[in-house]
Amino acid sequence: MTSDPDRLTHVRDDGTAHMVDVSAKQVTAREASAAGRVLLSAAAVAALRDGTVPKGDALAVARIAGIQAAKRTPELVPLAHPVAVHAVTVDLTVADDGVDITSTVRTADRTGIEMEALTCVSVAALALVDMVKAVDKHARITDIRVTAKSGGRSGDWREGGASS
């Protein structure tokens, strides 16, 4: 494999996908954050705020689903390395037009944890849609992205900010 910095690391010279060998990398503390939104009708927002969602506590279910998903990311993303997930936070904030979801995932391992943070937000959003679908059949998941990462060889990065 060449050391070209523009080359995709999960693609061999012959074009086939493979899992990158991280066994020689140093274990370091790593953290990644992600965010996303679920756009909802006024009725769904009111049901969340009033605690009247027919299926129950939608925010709690979404939070637990996100935590569970972060821990199971390598089962869902084929080339993601199994990493020890040491901490997961999931915050869901009800806004006038939906719910903002943020997640931070921490580890001490040989590779980054961005996929876990993204999976956490994605599945939390899916669970929220499932919980409110009786009230809002048009709920829409949007803007899922990594917002920050730290640790590892590539340094720290924050959305809208400078890298180190």
Side-chain angles (χ1 to χ4, degrees):
M1 163 111 33
T2 65
S3 62
D4 180 356
D6 295 328
R7 185 177 175 83
L8 297 174
T9 58
H10 288 73
V11 179
R12 292 187 182 122
D13 290 336
D14 67 0
T16 58
H18 72 107
M19 181 182 255
V20 174
D21 182 356
V22 296
S23 60
K25 290 175 81 175
Q26 182 179 349
V27 171
T28 60
R30 297 164 185 265
E31 178 177 296
S33 297
R37 303 196 80 219
V38 179
L39 298 176
L40 297 169
S41 67
V45 169
L48 287 168
R49 287 182 170 154
D50 299 341
T52 58
V53 173
K55 281 187 159 185
D57 189 344
L59 300 177
V61 169
R63 184 175 300 106
I64 296 299
I67 292 167
Q68 182 177 355
K71 297 187 298 184
R72 301 196 64 178
T73 298
E75 295 173 33
L76 302 169
V77 180
L79 299 180
H81 290 86
V83 296
V85 174
H86 294 133
V88 180
T89 59
V90 185
D91 293 310
L92 295 100
T93 304
V94 180
D96 290 341
D97 62 347
V99 176
D100 294 312
I101 304 170
T102 58
S103 167
T104 299
V105 183
R106 293 180 188 86
T107 189
D109 219 313
R110 291 180 165 82
T111 191
I113 200 151
E114 296 91 345
M115 290 297 100
E116 287 73 7
L118 287 167
T119 302
C120 177
V121 169
S122 299
V123 173
L126 288 168
L128 182 63
V129 168
D130 180 55
M131 292 296 290
V132 302
K133 67 186 177 190
V135 180
D136 185 355
K137 294 182 183 352
H138 302 288
R140 185 166 38 119
I141 298 169
T142 186
D143 297 326
I144 297 174
R145 69 214 181 272
V146 174
T147 57
K149 71 164 250 20
S150 65
R153 185 176 51 180
S154 63
D156 298 353
W157 175 86
R158 186 168 276 330
E159 181 179 61
S163 298
S164 63

